[in-house]
Amino acid sequence: MKKSVFYHAGCPVCVSAEHDIVQLIGTENVEIIHLGNDRNKIAEAENAGVKSVPALVTPNGNVLHINFGASMDDVKK
Amino acid sequence: MKKSVFYHAGCPVCVSAEHDIVQLIGTENVEIIHLGNDRNKIAEAENAGVKSVPALVTPNGNVLHINFGASMDDVKK
């Protein structure tokens, strides 16, 4: 199976959701990207349809916005 | 592993998220509850911390609100 991609920005909501998602779908099935540390991935996330973090982009390209940590505008600050 | 519980209310956002979640974590690992059809589960969902649907309650009791279909107030209508 193609990996899912979990985008986050290090906020407490993100970290909690990351822990849950990794536990549910398995660490080997998900790539974790920290947009605060890896700022050149912000455009990639937006192109994938990510409006806020944390968000999970599934292998078929759907975006699941999980809870609400920060908007993409906040991530860019 | 204890099952996760996915609460939804039949809206298009819910159905799309349900499909993704089942594919990601496996149909055998998640119980699906349709609050529109199973209205006596609404209180159970609220007690679990569900504020909107679709939402996934993980085996350790965390609530992941996924995208946004409807608030619990809307579900009660």
Side-chain angles (χ1 to χ4, degrees):
Chain A
M1 190 168 79
K2 211 178 138 204
K3 276 192 182 192
S4 298
V5 184
F6 182 84
Y7 291 100
H8 72 113
C11 59
V13 169
C14 295
V15 172
S16 165
E18 177 185 333
H19 185 251
D20 291 334
I21 290 292
V22 166
Q23 203 159 44
L24 287 172
I25 72 178
T27 182
E28 70 280 12
N29 295 320
V30 59
E31 181 184 357
I32 311 280
I33 293 178
H34 186 317
L35 293 175
N37 295 338
D38 209 352
R39 301 186 68 80
N40 58 350
K41 295 284 178 72
I42 291 176
E44 174 192 295
E46 285 191 315
N47 286 340
V50 173
K51 307 284 187 207
S52 62
V53 287
L56 186 74
V57 180
T58 70
N60 55 16
N62 289 345
V63 183
L64 303 178
H65 294 99
I66 300 166
N67 292 342
F68 184 85
S71 70
M72 289 303 276
D73 282 345
D74 288 332
V75 170
K76 288 180 200 169
K77 281 176 190 165
Chain B
M1 190 168 80
K2 210 178 139 204
K3 276 192 182 192
S4 298
V5 184
F6 182 83
Y7 291 101
H8 73 114
C11 59
V13 169
C14 295
V15 171
S16 166
E18 176 185 332
H19 185 252
D20 291 334
I21 289 292
V22 165
Q23 204 159 43
L24 287 172
I25 72 177
T27 183
E28 70 281 12
N29 295 320
V30 59
E31 182 184 355
I32 311 279
I33 293 178
H34 186 317
L35 293 176
N37 295 338
D38 209 352
R39 301 186 68 80
N40 57 351
K41 295 284 178 72
I42 291 176
E44 174 192 294
E46 286 192 314
N47 286 339
V50 173
K51 308 284 185 206
S52 63
V53 287
L56 185 74
V57 179
T58 69
N60 56 16
N62 289 346
V63 184
L64 302 178
H65 294 98
I66 299 165
N67 293 343
F68 185 84
S71 69
M72 288 302 276
D73 282 346
D74 288 332
V75 170
K76 289 180 199 169
K77 280 175 191 164

